[in-house]
Amino acid sequence: MKIQLESWKVQDLNLSILQDGSRENNSFGLKTANFFPEDNKKSFGVSFNVDIKDKRFDLNIEAIFIFTAEEEVTEDFKVSNFPKINAPAIAFPFLRAYISNLTLQSGFDPIMLPSINFVNLAEKD
């Protein structure tokens, strides 16, 4: 089945500057989920929630990525590795670049998110 990334957008963005100076340690959190729109049987989505605690700011981003297929998405496909592993691996570099550019254009050192092993992430769910 031919599948392609059709579009993506940031659903929610919160960048909060720490007013009391800076914190000692940075942290990074990532959650992913899939969704399958009822109104379009040939599409599915991946959502990301990224939570970054930098030394000088907090950043939370929710983004969705929409994929389209040439055939209807089946129940077997929904539980396969593609929506849980492959699709997030395809989408994540776009979000990673966005966050790097956002932080740089906001006057901070660019945040370089780590590479993610989506196989390991899927196994933890």
Side-chain angles (χ1 to χ4, degrees):
M1 175 177 0
K2 182 180 174 188
I3 299 169
Q4 70 179 34
L5 176 59
E6 181 178 301
S7 64
W8 72 281
K9 65 180 173 180
V10 172
Q11 295 283 92
D12 191 38
L13 169 68
N14 186 359
L15 175 64
S16 301
I17 310 305
L18 298 178
Q19 298 301 323
D20 58 353
S22 67
R23 65 172 58 95
E24 288 188 30
N25 296 315
N26 296 340
S27 67
F28 166 69
L30 174 68
K31 294 180 185 173
T32 64
N34 299 107
F35 58 95
F36 303 90
E38 288 295 320
D39 62 339
N40 186 349
K41 301 283 187 192
K42 291 185 178 182
S43 73
F44 69 96
V46 177
S47 65
F48 290 90
N49 186 313
V50 177
D51 187 42
I52 298 169
K53 306 279 190 231
D54 187 73
K55 292 181 180 179
R56 297 190 294 156
F57 60 84
D58 292 338
L59 176 61
N60 184 272
I61 296 179
E62 294 177 30
I64 62 167
F65 290 76
I66 305 296
F67 290 82
T68 57
E70 63 184 356
E71 301 169 17
E72 286 192 8
V73 173
T74 65
E75 290 302 317
D76 286 341
F77 178 83
K78 289 178 182 180
V79 297
S80 73
N81 283 340
F82 196 92
K84 293 183 282 188
I85 297 171
N86 301 71
I90 292 167
F92 187 69
F94 292 94
L95 186 58
R96 190 174 181 215
Y98 174 80
I99 290 171
S100 178
N101 285 322
L102 173 70
T103 53
L104 177 65
Q105 293 297 318
S106 297
F108 300 102
D109 291 334
I111 296 292
M112 301 301 292
L113 295 182
S115 297
I116 302 296
N117 184 331
F118 287 99
V119 172
N120 288 346
L121 192 62
E123 289 173 355
K124 290 179 183 179
D125 287 342

